[in-house]
């Protein structure tokens, strides 16, 4: 029963993937070409590279990716002096020809299979769970899976250093200050409510338990 | 609050000293008390003149003489709308698919039961609430309520309420939920299949919850951020947790004080937890008889507590609880818990790892049962006849200087005046009376935390006011918010503005 059920599921998702590929084939091919320069830092599967400070982006929500690329291009992100790594990304984002190219590459990256961060960060999971549920989960989802309806990206699978860096940028006014970046401003307001750095470590430990095979 | 804490700590220090004294003379002697003799509890609520109130059996005042009859096929809401304040709405047997709002004083909705046939309010899993009342001196009797998504009967800042003889089944997150009310009775109701608390006393004072049959729900009877409540003679079975006295952090009322759980049957509360994952209530371990979390002066007496697989009684604090975010304005410990004689049978036969670890630490790993677990500080607490229970964490409880609560009949009052609403406080009262039923400031109760809502709507109160009138589901793992379009647009904007600026 269990076997036939899971086979049925596999067949269904395979057909689904096929239809998706058929429909978006041409579009995806262009996205793949546009993605080529990104591979050097973000990896060929978009899995990220923590040593190069490049976050995992595979399978991230397309609207979020597009919004961030546009934020870079419009100097709403990566323009603050304290965000040198953001400045690198900002330079790369401006090499995309136009908004249509941004949409294509975002859609391609969103279509890549999600990756799971290899090394879980240590921390107090009890405290991490409680704070995550109280402060983060209402937008980023109970399992850190993200929620496009609230413009909140997936956090599961992001490396600890990247989460900490972005959190500090939100908290310290390097990201999420532009009046046109409403979701960023929402996150900046929440980032200012976390009591201690250790709490953030605990939350990250909780996030790293999500979306990984049991 | 602060003073109470200091006194509590002093008592704890004295208790510690006494323990050392006994320690020197060898093992602490067994103290045997009789609950039918000995002193009665003299703490608790004191009415005017310092006397404990006694013998009041109704709180809603004299019954109105104006009577309106609603028959099958007619609308209860239409009758209430047309009725002057001070009306008995008599509802004949039949099925009524509607939400009933009561914002007038002295309205009584009384079902007529004919040969077992009741007036049934059926939400068909489409409607959110069966009855919402904000009027004072409200009475609901003899109704049957089924298939609502939000609440069976919810009170919103109404005082002097009586909710009795109702059958409430599978009706959302709260079965009977008086919020922000003073002086109320909830009795002889049969409540089951509720996804949070079957009977939830929220931010209320002077309450009697008695003779209810409560089962198949996540939390049976919950006294939360409330003062002066007596919960007695209830049959509470097959819930995830049976009786609960809680402080939920992040609500405007910051404490729970003076709760008596007595003479209840608390039996087999082992139902799998079906609360929304991540919510406060989903942190209750399935198999909990009585749970005291951060509530002060809780007396537990004369209950038959049996077959709850984790423990008969759990006393804990905010730091150890699951899915709880601390509130700097709430004192996080359960102070001055008083455990008198209870009949405890077959509890804790399949307990949780944390409790096993504590038993190991106290050298009780051979015990097959567990009646009482205390985790986290609980200063000033006491117990009698402790030798009869299997316990962990209660060795520093002192011997209570009373053995029963027979001198306390109940905490009810003659009808109290309506809650005073000052001009300009409309938003605040709606926030306290309605919003905080599901939203705490910084934690996940039913809906998202207020802090998150503030970030999402920081400079857009009108957007929030529009949302609450017609909510859209945005979170897969949260219940859908019921529309609050029964509030007029000015009130909705006032409460949105109030919500966006609260700081705890």
């Amino acid at each position: 029963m269990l076997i036939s059920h899971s086979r049925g599921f596999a067949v269904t998702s395979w057909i689904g993937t096929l239809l998706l590929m058929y429909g978006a084939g041409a579009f995806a091919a262009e996205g793949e070409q546009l993605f080529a320069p990104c591979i050097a830092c973000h990896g060929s599967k978009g899995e990220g590279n923590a040593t190069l400070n490049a976050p995992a982006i595979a399978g991230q929500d397309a609207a979020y990716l597009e919004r961030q690329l546009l934020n870079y291009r419009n100097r709403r992100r990566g323009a603050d002096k304290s965000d040198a790594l953001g400045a690198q990304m900002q330079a790369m984002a401006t090499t995309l020809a136009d908004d249509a190219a941004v949409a294509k590459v975002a859609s391609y990256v969103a279509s890549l299979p999600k990756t799971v961060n290899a090394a879980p960060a240590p921390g107090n999971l009890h405290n991490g769970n409680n704070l995550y549920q109280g402060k983060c989960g209402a937008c980023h989802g109970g399992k850190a899976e993200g929620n496009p309806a609230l413009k909140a990206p997936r956090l599961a699978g992001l490396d600890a250093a990247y989460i900490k860096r972005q959190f500090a940028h939100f908290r310290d006014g390097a990201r999420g200050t532009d009046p046109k970046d409403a979701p960023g401003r929402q996150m900046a307001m929440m980032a200012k409510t976390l009591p201690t750095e250790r709490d953030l470590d605990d939350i990250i430990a909780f996030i790293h338990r999500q979306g990984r095979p049991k | 609050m602060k003073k109470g804490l200091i006194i509590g700590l002093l008592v704890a220090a004295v208790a510690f000293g006494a323990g050392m004294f006994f320690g020197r003379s060898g093992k602490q002697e067994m103290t045997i008390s009789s609950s039918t003799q000995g002193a009665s509890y003299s703490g608790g609520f004191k009415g005017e003149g310092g006397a404990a109130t006694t013998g009041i059996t109704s709180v809603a005042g004299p019954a109105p003489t104006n009577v309106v009859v609603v028959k099958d096929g007619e609308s209860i809401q239409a009758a209430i709308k047309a009725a002057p304040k001070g009306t008995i709405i008599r509802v004949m047997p039949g099925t009524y698919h509607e939400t009933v709002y009561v914002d007038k004083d002295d309205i009584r909705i009384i079902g007529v039961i004919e040969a077992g046939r009741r007036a049934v309010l059926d939400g068909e899993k489409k409607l959110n609430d069966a009855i919402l009342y904000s009027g004072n001196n409200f009475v609901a009797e003899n109704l049957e309520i089924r298939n609502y998504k939000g609440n069976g009967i919810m009170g919103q800042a109404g005082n002097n309420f009586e909710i009795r003889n109702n059958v409430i089944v599978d009706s959302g997150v709260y079965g009977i939920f008086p919020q922000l009310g003073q002086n109320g009775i909830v009795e002889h109701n049969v409540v089951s299949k509720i996804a949070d608390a079957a009977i939830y006393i929220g931010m209320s004072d002077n309450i009697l919850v008695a003779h209810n049959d409560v089962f198949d729900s996540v939390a049976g009877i919950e006294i939360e951020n409330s003062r002066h409540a007596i919960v007695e003679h209830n049959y509470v079975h097959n819930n995830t947790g049976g009786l609960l006295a809680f402080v939920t952090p992040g609500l405007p009322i910051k404490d729970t004080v003076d709760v008596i759980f007595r003479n209840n049957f608390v039996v087999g509360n082992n139902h799998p937890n079906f609360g929304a994952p991540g919510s406060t209530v989903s942190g209750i371990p399935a198999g909990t008889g009585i749970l005291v979390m951060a509530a002060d002066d809780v007396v537990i007496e004369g209950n038959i507590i049996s077959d709850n697989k984790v423990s008969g009684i759990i006393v804990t604090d905010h730091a150890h609880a699951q899915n709880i975010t601390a509130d700097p304005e709430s004192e996080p410990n359960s102070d001055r818990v008083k455990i008198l004689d209870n009949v405890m049978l077959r509890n804790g036969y399949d307990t949780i790892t944390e409790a096993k670890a504590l038993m190991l630490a106290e050298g009780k790993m051979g015990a097959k049962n567990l009646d009482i677990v205390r985790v986290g500080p609980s200063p000033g607490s006491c117990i009698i006849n402790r030798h009869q229970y299997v316990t962990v964490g209660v060795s520093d409880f002192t011997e209570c200087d009373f053995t029963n609560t027979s001198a306390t009949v109940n905490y009810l009052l003659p009808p109290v005046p309506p809650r005073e609403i000052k001009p300009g406080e409309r938003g605040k009262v709606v926030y306290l009376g309605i919003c905080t039923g599901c939203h705490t400031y910084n934690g996940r109760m039913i809906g998202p935390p207020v802090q998150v809502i503030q970030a999402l709507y920081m400079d857009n109160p009108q957007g929030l006011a529009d949302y609450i009138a017609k909510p859209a589901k945005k979170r897969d793992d949260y219940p859908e918010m019921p529309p609050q379009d029964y509030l007029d647009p000015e009130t909705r904007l006032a409460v949105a503005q109030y919500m966006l600026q609260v700081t705890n």
Side-chain angles (χ1 to χ4, degrees):
Chain A
M1 185 60 202
L2 191 68
I3 292 166
S4 75
H5 179 81
S6 50
R7 180 186 285 171
F9 179 75
V11 169
T12 313
S13 58
W14 183 73
I15 291 170
T17 310
L18 203 69
L19 282 171
L20 201 74
M21 286 167 73
Y22 179 75
F27 199 70
E30 248 183 287
E32 189 173 1
Q33 281 173 12
L34 289 164
F35 184 63
C38 316
I39 290 172
C41 294
H42 288 283
S44 61
K45 299 185 181 82
E47 72 275 24
N49 186 338
T51 53
L52 294 173
N53 302 304
I57 49 177
Q60 186 61 275
D61 167 47
Y64 172 79
L65 292 167
E66 189 175 348
R67 198 162 56 243
Q68 294 311 311
L69 283 168
L70 292 172
N71 281 350
Y72 281 120
R73 288 162 67 84
N74 295 320
R75 303 188 63 78
R76 290 178 198 140
R77 184 177 173 186
D80 191 272
K81 282 193 196 80
S82 67
D83 188 7
L85 298 166
Q88 292 175 11
M89 184 61 212
Q90 208 245 340
M92 291 304 295
T94 49
T95 64
L96 287 161
D98 50 20
D99 287 359
V102 168
K104 280 173 197 156
V105 74
S107 157
Y108 174 75
V109 173
S111 74
L112 295 171
K114 291 184 180 73
T115 57
V116 176
N117 183 286
N124 179 335
L125 285 172
H126 175 79
N127 188 45
N129 167 70
N130 289 4
L131 281 170
Y132 182 88
Q133 300 298 350
K135 292 193 181 284
C136 321
C139 294
H140 290 282
K143 297 186 173 110
E145 72 274 29
N147 185 348
L150 291 160
K151 302 188 164 60
R154 175 177 186 254
L155 302 176
L158 291 174
D159 67 271
Y162 176 76
I163 297 179
K164 290 184 84 152
R165 199 160 60 236
Q166 295 309 314
F167 191 87
H169 287 330
F170 280 118
R171 185 191 56 209
D172 302 338
R175 186 178 170 191
T177 54
D178 191 290
K180 287 190 174 153
D181 181 15
R185 289 174 63 219
Q186 292 166 348
M187 181 62 213
M189 191 163 157
M190 286 310 295
K192 291 179 177 67
T193 70
L194 200 64
T196 70
E197 200 70 19
R198 237 198 78 192
D199 289 327
L200 180 58
D201 288 335
D202 294 345
I203 290 174
I204 291 171
F206 172 83
I207 290 171
H208 280 185
R209 302 294 283 233
Q210 311 307 312
R212 76 179 47 243
K214 291 265 154 69
Chain B
M1 195 69 215
K2 210 166 196 177
K3 198 173 159 199
L5 178 63
I6 291 163
I7 292 170
L9 286 173
L10 264 175
V11 172
V14 170
F16 186 62
M20 296 221 313
F21 176 75
F22 284 121
R24 247 181 257 142
S25 60
K27 199 172 186 259
Q28 191 168 333
E29 278 178 43
M30 194 183 276
T31 310
I32 299 179
S33 311
S34 163
S35 57
T36 55
Q37 286 147 39
S40 187
Y41 179 49
S42 60
F45 177 75
K46 298 283 180 290
E48 274 178 43
T53 57
T54 56
I56 289 178
T57 53
S58 87
V59 295
T65 48
N66 186 34
V67 177
V68 172
V69 177
V70 179
K71 297 192 196 75
D72 197 7
E74 296 174 353
S75 158
I76 304 168
Q77 180 62 40
I80 288 174
K81 214 169 173 182
K85 70 178 239 182
T87 296
I88 294 177
I89 310 288
R90 200 163 275 163
V91 188
M92 301 308 286
T95 306
Y96 302 83
H97 305 294
E98 58 181 319
T99 296
V100 177
Y101 304 97
V102 181
D103 57 3
K104 298 169 191 169
D105 290 348
D106 296 288
I107 296 290
R108 299 185 178 211
I109 305 177
I110 313 289
V112 175
I113 306 173
E114 272 184 312
R117 285 183 60 240
R118 286 179 174 246
V120 179
L121 280 84
D122 186 347
E124 301 176 289
K125 291 280 166 191
K126 288 182 212 149
L127 297 172
N128 289 293
D129 305 300
I131 299 177
L132 298 178
Y133 69 89
S134 56
N136 298 283
N137 314 332
F138 172 76
V139 178
E141 276 180 12
N142 301 348
L143 302 168
E144 182 169 324
I145 294 174
R146 299 185 166 274
N147 303 323
Y148 286 83
K149 297 190 295 181
N151 301 284
I153 301 176
M154 178 184 179
Q156 304 175 336
N159 291 345
N160 312 317
F161 53 87
E162 298 175 12
I163 299 168
R164 67 167 65 86
N165 302 0
N166 301 291
V167 177
I168 302 182
V169 189
D170 194 6
S171 284
V173 291
Y174 303 128
I176 297 175
F177 174 24
Q179 163 93 326
L180 202 70
Q182 189 186 9
N183 205 27
I185 299 173
V186 178
E187 63 183 5
H188 297 285
N189 299 285
V190 181
V191 190
S192 62
K193 294 188 182 169
I194 303 295
D196 194 307
I199 296 178
Y200 171 21
I201 307 299
M203 303 201 296
S204 294
D205 294 85
N206 300 90
I207 301 297
L208 177 65
V209 181
H211 302 285
N212 299 286
D213 181 8
V214 172
F215 55 100
D216 296 355
S217 300
V218 177
I221 300 176
E222 197 170 292
I223 308 297
E224 198 166 295
N225 303 46
S226 293
R227 286 76 61 100
H228 315 304
I230 294 182
V231 178
E232 61 184 6
H233 304 293
N234 299 284
Y235 180 30
V236 182
H237 54 111
N238 200 35
N239 306 286
T240 302
L243 301 177
L244 306 95
F246 258 35
V247 174
T248 291
L251 291 177
I253 304 285
K254 299 296 181 187
D255 57 1
T256 291
V257 187
D258 185 16
V259 177
I260 299 179
F261 288 141
R262 63 182 177 192
N263 304 330
N264 299 285
F265 296 92
V266 184
V267 178
N269 292 287
N270 302 314
H271 197 292
N273 194 322
F274 58 102
S279 66
T280 305
V281 86
S282 74
I284 300 171
T288 303
I290 297 180
L291 178 59
V292 181
M293 181 182 74
D296 298 341
D297 292 298
V298 177
V299 183
I300 302 173
E301 178 204 13
N303 302 288
I304 293 179
I305 307 172
S306 70
D307 302 284
N308 304 288
K309 70 177 179 183
V310 169
S311 179
I313 300 173
I314 299 176
V315 178
T316 189
D317 63 350
H318 282 157
H320 288 86
Q322 193 72 5
N323 300 340
I324 287 286
T325 332
D327 178 345
E329 288 179 35
S330 270
E331 200 276 311
N333 303 324
S334 299
D335 297 355
R336 300 179 303 279
V337 175
K338 305 154 209 308
I339 302 176
L340 304 179
D341 274 343
N342 293 276
V343 174
M344 305 273 253
L345 298 166
R346 300 179 299 273
N347 296 297
Y349 57 84
D350 181 16
T351 196
I352 50 178
T353 321
E354 293 88 330
K356 282 182 191 156
L358 291 168
M359 291 172 87
L360 194 68
E362 290 194 15
K364 292 177 178 171
M365 50 281 207
K368 288 192 175 66
N369 292 99
L370 182 57
D371 295 316
I372 306 174
V373 191
R374 194 282 302 263
V375 203
S378 188
S381 294
C382 72
I383 185 168
I384 66 170
N385 295 325
R386 73 187 73 198
H387 51 272
Q388 61 181 328
Y389 311 123
V390 182
T391 64
V392 283
V394 306
S395 54
D396 65 346
F397 280 31
T398 56
E399 196 70 19
C400 299
D401 53 13
F402 54 91
T403 65
N404 61 76
T405 63
S406 58
T408 304
V409 177
N410 64 47
Y411 292 150
L412 299 174
L413 301 168
V416 298
R419 184 168 293 270
E420 196 188 336
I421 301 173
K422 297 190 186 100
E425 282 205 330
R426 183 79 185 130
K428 180 182 177 182
V429 171
V430 170
Y431 177 74
L432 266 65
I434 302 174
C435 309
T436 58
C438 292
H439 301 273
T440 74
Y441 182 68
N442 61 350
R444 174 175 177 183
M445 189 154 59
I446 302 292
V450 172
Q451 217 173 27
V452 170
I453 295 166
Q454 290 178 338
L456 291 173
Y457 290 93
M458 58 180 99
D459 41 19
N460 186 14
Q462 189 59 55
L464 179 55
D466 295 344
Y467 181 83
I468 67 175
K470 203 178 173 208
K473 189 166 168 68
K474 293 184 175 174
R475 298 171 177 87
D476 290 342
D477 54 344
Y478 283 64
E480 191 178 338
M481 174 165 167
Q484 307 296 319
D485 50 358
Y486 57 93
L487 301 169
D488 61 58
E490 293 75 33
T491 304
R492 292 200 297 262
L493 184 58
V495 72
Q497 284 164 338
Y498 184 83
M499 187 182 235
L500 292 182
Q501 57 81 50
V502 296
T503 53
N504 191 335

